[in-house]
């Protein structure tokens, strides 16, 4: 695989921004890399993707990548910031791409779901600003979506099982509009979310809370994404 090198690209969004918090994130990221991404090149890219994919999905109030490394779980924002920063650590030019779509289309119905969650999936219209990683490889780049751990494929989720480094991974949301590619992911996402109406905002929050609560009770295989 050819790659665009970016050895001096910044690691941003590390936490609240104090030197101490940034240093803690750097240390946590380096430890995660040492444990899961022992080499560069295509193998390193795939290993980084699988390691982040393995983190259970959980949407909470702290979207920082440090929280994802600290807690071992996260939603699309934190997980893809970790993946972006891992790829930058191994010398790639990686960006987090914020996309707009209906997040209910990313979640398949399942009998074990609480009725309220199933009703929202059937109704649709859960506007969200989803994150994935974009690599400038080839004519249009590559899009890596590590949202769903492999184990969720058993529940019908679009969890990528076979990606080996070429082309796009399987995407959590099929139909989207790209809204942003910049380093201030947390700030940009906050501004985009702030532009939603109160009704849409409440619906999104309810959906994510119901989804996270249901997923917390699922018994996924250990290291299902690696």
């Amino acid at each position: 695989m050819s790659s665009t090198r970016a050895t001096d690209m910044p690691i941003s969004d590390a936490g609240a921004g104090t030197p101490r918090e940034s240093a803690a994130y750097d240390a946590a990221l380096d430890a995660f890399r040492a444990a899961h991404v022992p080499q560069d090149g295509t193998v390193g890219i795939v290993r980084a993707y699988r390691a982040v994919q393995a983190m259970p999905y959980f949407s909470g109030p702290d979207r920082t990548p440090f929280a994802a490394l600290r807690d071992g779980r996260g939603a699309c924002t934190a997980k893809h910031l970790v993946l972006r920063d891992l790829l930058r650590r191994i010398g790639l030019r990686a960006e987090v791409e914020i996309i707009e779509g209906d997040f209910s289309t990313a979640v398949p119905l399942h009998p074990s779901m609480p009725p309220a969650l199933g009703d929202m999936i059937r109704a649709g219209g859960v506007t969200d600003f989803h994150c994935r990683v974009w690599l400038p490889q080839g004519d249009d780049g590559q899009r890596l979506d590590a949202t769903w751990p492999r184990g969720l494929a058993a529940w019908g989720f679009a969890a990528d099982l076979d990606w080996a480094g070429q082309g796009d991974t399987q995407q959590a949301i099929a139909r989207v509009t790209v809204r942003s590619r910049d380093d201030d992911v947390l700030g940009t996402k906050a501004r985009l979310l702030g532009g939603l109406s109160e009704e849409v905002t409440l619906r999104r929050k309810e959906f994510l809370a119901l989804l996270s609560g249901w997923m917390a009770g699922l018994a996924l295989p250990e290291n299902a994404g690696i």
Side-chain angles (χ1 to χ4, degrees), residues 1-223:
M1 171 186 289
S2 63
S3 63
T4 302
R5 306 297 292 181
T7 55
D8 59 350
M9 290 193 76
I11 305 299
S12 62
D13 297 286
T18 69
R20 187 171 185 175
E21 287 165 331
S22 295
Y25 175 60
D26 285 345
L29 185 68
D30 287 340
F32 190 83
R33 178 188 175 189
H36 300 294
V37 192
Q39 60 196 102
D40 298 348
T42 301
V43 172
I45 296 171
V46 174
R47 290 291 297 272
Y49 172 77
R50 293 299 179 199
V52 173
Q53 183 189 26
M55 292 180 176
Y57 179 88
F58 180 79
S59 180
D62 190 342
R63 296 193 189 99
T64 62
F66 180 67
L69 293 177
R70 180 194 65 214
D71 301 336
R73 64 182 187 178
C76 66
T77 305
K79 289 182 70 169
H80 289 102
L81 282 167
V82 172
L83 179 56
R84 179 201 67 182
D85 292 347
L86 280 173
L87 296 175
R88 288 182 177 184
R89 277 287 204 265
I90 64 174
L92 291 171
R93 182 171 296 278
E95 306 287 350
V96 170
E97 192 171 67
I98 300 178
I99 54 180
E100 182 177 354
D102 181 352
F103 199 55
S104 68
T105 65
V107 182
L109 285 166
H110 193 273
S112 65
M113 287 177 170
L117 178 58
D119 289 346
M120 294 186 81
I121 293 171
R122 292 183 188 93
V126 180
T127 300
D128 196 19
F129 295 101
H130 182 66
C131 291
R132 62 191 181 189
V133 166
W134 180 79
L135 296 174
Q137 319 272 20
D139 294 337
D140 192 35
Q142 289 179 273
R143 289 158 184 85
L144 280 53
D145 193 321
T147 303
W148 307 132
R150 276 177 164 177
L152 284 176
W155 280 266
F157 283 79
D160 195 291
L161 302 178
D162 303 316
W163 187 70
Q166 304 299 321
D168 296 345
T169 68
Q170 196 161 356
Q171 302 293 297
I173 307 177
R175 299 180 63 180
V176 298
T177 301
V178 177
R179 294 301 187 199
S180 172
R181 283 183 201 144
D182 69 58
D183 270 2
D184 185 18
V185 177
L186 296 176
T188 300
K189 182 161 180 172
R191 287 191 294 273
L192 289 167
L193 290 172
L196 298 176
S197 69
E198 182 178 359
E199 179 182 1
V200 171
T201 297
L202 291 174
R203 181 172 177 77
R204 172 184 174 273
K205 288 182 177 179
E206 180 183 4
F207 184 83
L208 293 176
L210 288 168
L211 177 63
S212 293
W214 172 67
M215 282 189 171
L218 299 181
L220 298 185
E222 188 175 358
N223 296 328

